[in-house]
Amino acid sequence: MHSIRSRFFLVSVASVLLALTMASLAFIELFRANLERRVDQELTNHINNIAGALRVTKDDQLALPKTPTDLRFQMPYGGLYWQAEDDVRKQTLRSPSLWDYVLDLPVDVHESGEIHRYHLKGPDDSDLIVQERKVILAAPEGEREIRIAAAIDAAELTKAGGEFARDMLPYAAALAIFLIAASLAQLTYGLRPISSVSEGLNRIRERKADRLTGRFPEELRPVVEAVNRLLDSQSEILTRARAAAGDLAHGLKTPLTILANDAETLREKGETELAHELAHIATVMQAHVDRELTRSRLAVNAELHRSVSDLRNTVQTIVRTLRRTPLGEHLDWRISVPADIVLDVDPHDLHELIGNILENASKWSQSWVSVRHVETGGKTMLIVEDDGPGADAEGISLMTERGMRLDTQKPGTGLGLAIVRDIATAYEIDLRIENREEGGLRVTLGFRSTRCAAK
């Protein structure tokens, strides 16, 4: 189990259920103990009442002129019993509830007036809680020791305990639900700051922020500060790397310009083969310089989403330029892009992205290039198609590799689509290249973040 929330929730549920189970058992035991104390007190009161009413008649016989008023003493096997024994005269008085049953009181020694408690078998093999007390009664021949016992069916206590447990169960269940819900609410509220950190990191990943900001609890502040220090350090390293790449690229521009001029000079002198080779080397190196300048600008930072681009204006600007080139002037440019689409992409990067795709299409197309817009699955899709020869599966997979050219007879450096891949990766733009069924190539760009232009 990898979820902290699930772990805490399961621990909370287990703790609540265990605590309520233990508490319920404790309450049941307390109820049983309290009930037993009340039963013991009741039996003691019955013994005292019987002892107060018990007499020895003139003919030396036990008599109970005033019997206990509890109706259970009158019902056969009613669950409440009394019995008085005269061991000297071998005489026994019993409650009607005992009917034909005689309590087999144990032969033991205890002081007169002292309550003796034990369990005995009763009518119908029932388990009885018995209290016995020896009292001294006046008799014609002098004082006599009489044993008085009162008993109650222990099943009454068990029944009362079960009823108490059943009555308590709905309340315990309701309390468990409340405590589990309270734990879940506490867990949700307690883990909310972690969700805030996760949301902040997602904003940084999406280049909508460059630091974790907001109010965080004391326990998370060291983590937030450590993440921000790491981000600052990474930003500083990237800034230095971009600056170094830019300096290197700019430093190479002047020598490359001189190299191109030297190639032209050699061509004028008739050294055409050497001039062509030098010009090609200069072109390739210039393309590498341009690509490195583009990559140095595509660092992962929040600035990428602080500028936006109009999709239609960008496409129209690029097409106007390509229509003036030898490759694009004879093509039929079919543009279908609405005027209200704005993308969260830097204008220069969007121009570089779409420009390289359209330039590649114009290079291979026979008669037309199509640029159209489609909305699908919450994404803005820009689809560029041409009626060129297309490419085989291996060629399509290698098309965005740096320096890869499928046909060396066509002009170029093989870096255009590699730059397209770099920009698409930096902005999380879906890039798909495939052959059309009718022939030609189709390049699809899927933009995740779009908005409508202000009217």
Side-chain angles (χ1 to χ4, degrees):
M1 187 177 298
H2 301 291
S3 170
I4 295 178
R5 187 187 303 272
S6 299
R7 291 182 180 183
F8 278 140
F9 182 69
L10 287 180
V11 170
S12 175
V13 170
S15 300
V16 168
L17 294 180
L18 179 61
L20 287 180
T21 300
M22 295 178 64
S24 298
L25 293 176
F27 287 146
I28 293 173
E29 180 61 25
L30 287 174
F31 174 81
R32 187 194 63 78
N34 183 70
L35 185 60
E36 283 192 2
R37 285 195 296 269
R38 295 194 62 177
V39 166
D40 287 343
Q41 184 60 48
E42 181 183 0
L43 293 178
T44 300
N45 292 336
H46 286 314
I47 289 176
N48 290 337
N49 291 334
I50 293 172
L54 195 62
R55 297 287 184 270
V56 177
T57 62
K58 293 181 179 180
D59 56 355
D60 209 20
Q61 297 294 315
L62 280 176
L64 188 64
K66 184 180 178 181
T67 61
T69 57
D70 196 311
L71 294 179
R72 289 175 294 174
F73 284 126
Q74 308 303 320
M75 297 173 57
Y77 298 171
L80 186 63
Y81 314 101
W82 66 265
Q83 181 173 298
E85 289 187 1
D86 181 356
D87 291 333
V88 176
R89 295 295 183 182
K90 305 299 180 182
Q91 183 182 0
T92 300
L93 297 179
R94 293 177 291 120
S95 65
S97 57
L98 279 173
W99 194 248
D100 57 352
Y101 191 84
V102 178
L103 295 177
D104 186 15
L105 299 180
V107 179
D108 55 359
V109 178
H110 56 276
E111 298 294 329
S112 297
E114 179 183 346
I115 295 294
H116 188 199
R117 186 179 189 278
Y118 44 82
H119 286 262
L120 288 179
K121 287 296 181 181
D124 289 337
D125 204 29
S126 59
D127 183 25
L128 301 181
I129 298 176
V130 182
Q131 280 193 13
E132 178 190 350
R133 179 183 176 188
K134 290 182 180 181
V135 297
I136 304 298
L137 294 183
E141 298 179 358
E143 294 181 342
R144 187 179 302 167
E145 192 174 64
I146 306 298
R147 302 173 67 185
I148 303 173
I152 190 171
D153 194 338
E156 295 292 328
L157 274 70
T158 303
K159 179 181 178 181
E163 291 176 350
F164 175 78
R166 285 192 296 272
D167 292 341
M168 186 180 64
L169 183 61
Y171 299 96
L175 181 59
I177 294 173
F178 171 77
L179 291 177
I180 291 173
S183 298
L184 184 59
Q186 182 182 22
L187 182 61
T188 302
Y189 179 76
L191 291 181
R192 187 175 299 171
I194 297 180
S195 299
S196 299
V197 173
S198 177
E199 292 171 2
L201 292 174
N202 284 333
R203 287 179 59 83
I204 293 172
R205 183 181 61 83
E206 295 170 358
R207 296 174 294 278
K208 296 179 180 179
D210 52 7
R211 291 174 61 84
L212 288 176
T213 57
R215 299 179 61 184
F216 297 96
E218 291 290 337
E219 293 79 4
L220 287 180
R221 284 184 184 177
V223 176
V224 172
E225 292 173 357
V227 170
N228 283 335
R229 286 195 300 270
L230 178 61
L231 291 172
D232 291 340
S233 175
Q234 184 184 36
S235 177
E236 183 179 350
I237 293 172
L238 289 173
T239 300
R240 289 200 299 266
R242 291 199 305 272
D247 292 343
L248 177 61
H250 285 293
L252 289 174
K253 272 198 168 185
T254 299
L256 289 174
T257 302
I258 295 173
L259 186 60
N261 291 335
D262 289 344
E264 186 63 28
T265 301
L266 288 173
R267 185 178 291 109
E268 292 174 356
K269 292 181 178 181
E271 301 287 344
T272 55
E273 185 177 351
L274 180 58
H276 178 73
E277 184 176 352
L278 287 178
H280 177 70
I281 292 174
T283 302
V284 172
M285 292 183 66
Q286 183 63 53
H288 280 282
V289 169
D290 292 339
R291 182 170 187 260
E292 291 305 317
L293 286 175
T294 300
R295 293 185 64 184
S296 68
R297 191 178 62 255
L298 289 175
V300 182
N301 56 61
E303 295 296 330
L304 290 178
H305 275 290
R306 292 180 185 173
S307 57
V308 295
S309 305
D310 185 287
L311 180 60
R312 182 177 181 180
N313 288 342
T314 302
V315 172
Q316 288 178 339
T317 300
I318 297 170
V319 171
R320 278 197 301 268
T321 302
L322 290 175
R323 277 176 172 160
R324 299 189 183 99
T325 65
L327 293 174
E329 61 182 354
H330 69 282
L331 296 177
D332 176 18
W333 293 89
R334 304 171 183 176
I335 311 300
S336 177
V337 179
D340 58 350
I341 302 299
V342 176
L343 304 176
D344 285 337
V345 180
D346 180 79
H348 185 89
D349 293 335
L350 184 63
H351 190 282
E352 190 86 11
L353 174 69
I354 299 176
N356 278 290
I357 294 175
L358 292 181
E359 183 180 358
N360 186 75
S362 67
K363 185 186 305 181
W364 295 98
S365 177
Q366 299 296 323
S367 60
W368 59 265
V369 174
S370 168
V371 183
R372 57 190 174 93
H373 158 268
V374 176
E375 288 288 339
T376 177
K379 291 183 180 181
T380 291
M381 314 297 290
L382 187 70
I383 302 173
V384 178
E385 296 176 316
D386 62 64
D387 63 343
D392 57 23
E394 183 180 1
I396 289 177
S397 64
L398 297 176
M399 200 168 287
T400 57
E401 295 296 326
R402 182 166 57 93
M404 178 58 62
R405 299 175 61 194
L406 301 184
D407 188 347
T408 57
Q409 301 301 316
K410 294 284 187 178
T413 61
L415 296 176
L417 291 182
I419 293 175
V420 168
R421 182 197 60 191
D422 291 341
I423 297 175
T425 301
Y427 284 94
E428 296 183 347
I429 300 170
D430 294 336
L431 172 64
R432 187 169 71 251
I433 303 175
E434 58 190 345
N435 285 315
R436 298 173 61 244
E437 292 182 2
E438 305 85 353
L441 204 65
R442 178 187 295 119
V443 180
T444 304
L445 297 173
F447 298 90
R448 300 173 184 272
S449 179
T450 63
R451 66 186 76 172
C452 291
K455 300 290 186 182

